[in-house]
Amino acid sequence: MELRLYDTFTREKRPFRPIDDKNVRMYVCGPTVYDFAHIGNARPLIVFDVLFRLLRQIYGKDHVTYVRNITDVDDKINARAALDFPGLPLNEAIRRVTEVTASQFLADAAALGCLEPTVQPRATDFVLPRADGKADMVTLIKQLIARGHAYEAAGEVLFDVRSMPDYGALSGRKLDEQLAGARVAVDAHKRNPADFVLWKQSSADEPGWDSPWGRGRPGWHIECSAMSAAYLGEVFDIHGGGLDLIFPHHENEIAQSRCAHGTDVMANYWMHNEFVQVEGEKMSKSLGNFVTIRELLADWPGEVLRLNMLKMHYRSPADWTLRGVEESARTLDDWYRVAADASGDKPAAAVMAALSDDLNTPQAIAELHALRGRAAAGADADRASFASSLRFLGFLSESAAQWESRKQAASGVDADKVDLLITARAEARARKDFKESDRIRDELVAMGIVIKDGKGADGKPVTTWEVAR
Ligand code: AMP
Ligand code: ZN
């Protein structure tokens, strides 16, 4: 089965060929930790987790390196820190903001069923030259200056876009067009309006590091060039992130990395997820439809959110709706009943084939529905194949009993009381007191309980129940 991935750079699906199949290397831009992650941020998290799982399955668990950074130095963080902790010195306030936000992010990712990346470096650990000799931002900037790709002006260090003939190749923006179309006032100190900041000066109370260009802090893009080189080398296999990062962030990462190292490419495959909107509208604070993962997790198990995200292909815009989430919850309830207690560790070939076609998760889910039908018919091999496919995709982290009892706990239902009522109803039916058994059924319905009458393995009547969604 051949893995094919859509590459933003070449704008086509191409067979995936790693540089080294003993160490497949992927970098995904992570969060800037100034605010809790929203459901849009969950998309790259989940999508690239599925790719990580797929690569591990194909190349072996120990042969994939996945790096996802945490951006803990950024002017948005500074602004938030000053706002939230006006009484504290800025650097202390920043530490509070980044600590709380980063740990919430890690908790969100785990709850969404994402495996931990191999490394999660923090930008602030890669500003200055390191004791372990791994790549760092200051050294990269020095290399760019030495190679004639960057210059100092007005206390800043800027990347000189004219020094790179094919600057703009990823986004397909021609430099001349950009300049012709630029309405922004040209900053007097820039050689070119499109030149971007590598290093800028910090005031005494802003976060800063002593550098050859004075006390300052890095621009946004340079951190990913440093951290990817630190863990994946100068050229690696896959670079991912959301669509909004293509320009300027990824364009500028490419410019920095290629010009500092003198390489033709930074990564061989560039992958970008489309955006998520909510109930048909763009998510924004002002519309009040800004949904954080943390809030959603208060109402739904992480696996429900994960399934709901994967129903949509990562390169299509996704509409996040309550209806969709409810439907995903019903699907998972059903899948848990059919599969949770089956073992097995070999995902179905049809599911692997769907994912290998540029992560076609809607097709993979269609295959899961088909597998569910066969599994419910009872053959152990089918149940094992269904269960392994679900686990491979990050589902079934609980037993069927845990799933059901969590659902009951979340709905505030008293399970003991339900069991007592069901026993009383069975007794009423046994003595043909149907008025009483109907009354008990109505009482259960009023509690939000759905009961199902069926037959057990021994042919005797059994009543099962669940909480209505
Ligand atoms: P940020 O913290 O804003 O840098 O975003 C972290 C990641 O989430 C980046 O890969 C973004 O491209 C991605 N992202 C942000 N908003 C959305 C959205 N509405 N839909 C999908 N991805 C998003
Ligand atoms: Zn990045």
Side-chain angles (χ1 to χ4, degrees):
M1 198 170 343
E2 186 180 64
L3 172 59
R4 294 165 64 80
L5 298 174
Y6 183 88
D7 178 10
T8 308
F9 214 113
T10 55
R11 294 178 174 68
E12 62 181 0
K13 252 191 239 178
R14 293 195 287 123
F16 177 68
R17 308 247 189 279
I19 299 166
D20 173 3
D21 65 3
K22 293 282 176 289
N23 184 16
V24 179
R25 289 164 284 160
M26 169 162 84
Y27 186 93
V28 175
C29 297
T32 304
V33 284
Y34 69 101
D35 208 352
F36 291 155
H38 55 67
I39 193 62
N41 302 134
R43 197 168 200 194
L45 261 176
I46 295 171
V47 163
F48 291 103
D49 176 68
V50 169
L51 180 55
F52 182 39
R53 289 166 182 267
L54 183 63
L55 293 169
R56 282 159 50 107
Q57 185 72 17
I58 298 173
Y59 296 96
K61 283 193 167 55
D62 300 330
H63 300 300
V64 184
T65 307
Y66 171 22
V67 180
R68 186 180 63 211
N69 70 297
I70 291 179
T71 300
D72 58 352
V73 50
D74 188 284
D75 290 355
K76 286 191 289 244
I77 301 177
N78 306 351
R80 172 56 66 96
L83 200 68
D84 286 1
F85 302 100
L88 286 182
L90 184 61
N91 283 312
E92 170 67 17
I94 287 172
R95 207 170 49 81
R96 298 257 189 114
V97 169
T98 57
E99 266 174 14
V100 171
T101 319
S103 66
Q104 180 66 46
F105 173 79
L106 297 178
D108 290 349
L112 292 171
C114 299
L115 301 176
E116 273 186 33
T118 322
V119 216
Q120 303 193 67
R122 290 171 193 237
T124 48
D125 291 332
F126 289 81
V127 177
L128 296 180
R130 294 164 54 94
D132 64 8
K134 282 188 163 43
D136 66 272
M137 301 181 220
V138 163
T139 305
L140 274 181
I141 297 171
K142 278 195 201 164
Q143 281 165 351
L144 288 169
I145 295 174
R147 286 172 174 263
H149 291 291
Y151 60 95
E152 259 190 278
E156 291 184 342
V157 182
L158 294 148
F159 185 92
D160 180 357
V161 292
R162 287 276 189 208
S163 73
M164 183 188 189
D166 55 349
Y167 176 80
L170 175 70
S171 58
R173 296 182 185 218
K174 298 260 184 312
L175 199 49
D176 292 337
E177 288 167 13
Q178 288 178 45
L179 299 187
R183 296 230 186 93
V184 280
V186 179
D187 290 317
H189 66 296
K190 290 188 180 181
R191 290 184 192 163
N192 241 292
D195 290 353
F196 58 89
V197 172
L198 300 171
W199 189 263
K200 58 186 158 193
Q201 284 188 347
S202 295
S203 63
D205 63 344
E206 281 171 333
W209 289 260
D210 287 322
S211 81
W213 318 286
R215 187 175 171 281
R217 59 195 189 283
W220 171 29
H221 316 296
I222 192 73
E223 66 174 80
C224 291
S225 287
M227 289 182 276
S228 61
Y231 289 103
L232 303 176
E234 295 179 354
V235 180
F236 52 94
D237 296 299
I238 301 170
H239 193 314
L243 205 65
D244 56 321
L245 299 184
I246 295 176
F247 188 89
H249 184 52
H250 288 167
E251 202 73 83
N252 293 349
E253 278 189 36
I254 292 173
Q256 297 160 161
S257 294
R258 283 187 45 204
C259 293
H261 303 130
T263 49
D264 290 337
V265 296
M266 178 184 187
N268 286 330
Y269 299 81
W270 287 84
M271 296 179 64
H272 295 98
N273 62 272
E274 251 287 359
F275 259 48
V276 177
Q277 51 174 22
V278 171
E279 308 287 352
E281 289 192 87
K282 189 178 146 108
M283 209 184 328
S284 82
K285 291 227 160 101
S286 56
L287 284 173
N289 63 352
F290 195 87
V291 198
T292 64
I293 301 173
R294 182 189 149 102
E295 285 160 352
L296 284 167
L297 286 170
D299 293 339
W300 306 95
E303 288 185 25
V304 167
L305 308 179
R306 182 177 177 90
L307 176 63
N308 200 52
M309 192 64 85
L310 293 176
K311 285 199 289 200
M312 305 167 272
H313 187 254
Y314 79 96
R315 282 195 292 118
S316 305
D319 191 19
W320 187 269
T321 63
L322 179 60
R323 256 185 87 147
V325 180
E326 285 169 347
E327 183 194 88
S328 299
R330 284 192 296 272
T331 302
L332 262 179
D333 288 345
D334 174 58
W335 288 354
Y336 258 93
R337 271 194 302 272
V338 175
D341 300 325
S343 57
D345 57 8
K346 200 172 178 306
V351 171
M352 288 294 289
L355 296 175
S356 299
D357 177 18
D358 190 33
L359 304 183
N360 191 340
T361 54
Q363 180 61 33
I365 289 170
E367 300 294 352
L368 288 172
H369 282 295
L371 281 170
R372 184 260 175 231
R374 268 176 270 147
D380 282 350
D382 289 333
R383 289 183 62 228
S385 173
F386 181 44
S388 332
S389 304
L390 286 170
R391 288 201 186 93
F392 167 65
L393 274 166
F395 301 107
L396 301 192
S397 61
E398 300 178 4
S399 68
Q402 280 170 328
W403 182 263
E404 192 54 40
S405 69
R406 185 149 74 118
K407 203 166 86 178
Q408 287 158 19
S411 61
V413 164
D414 179 344
D416 289 342
K417 183 174 175 200
V418 174
D419 287 337
L420 279 175
L421 285 169
I422 285 183
T423 309
R425 175 171 165 268
E427 286 165 4
R429 277 157 59 114
R431 60 173 194 269
K432 302 213 167 7
D433 183 351
F434 296 115
K435 201 170 156 210
E436 174 65 0
S437 69
D438 285 351
R439 189 198 63 75
I440 296 175
R441 170 185 282 269
D442 291 346
E443 186 176 341
L444 285 162
V445 168
M447 288 166 68
I449 302 299
V450 180
I451 54 179
K452 276 195 194 134
D453 294 319
K455 278 199 171 63
D458 52 6
K460 294 202 180 109
V462 203
T463 300
T464 55
W465 62 277
E466 62 179 4
V467 179
R469 289 252 196 225

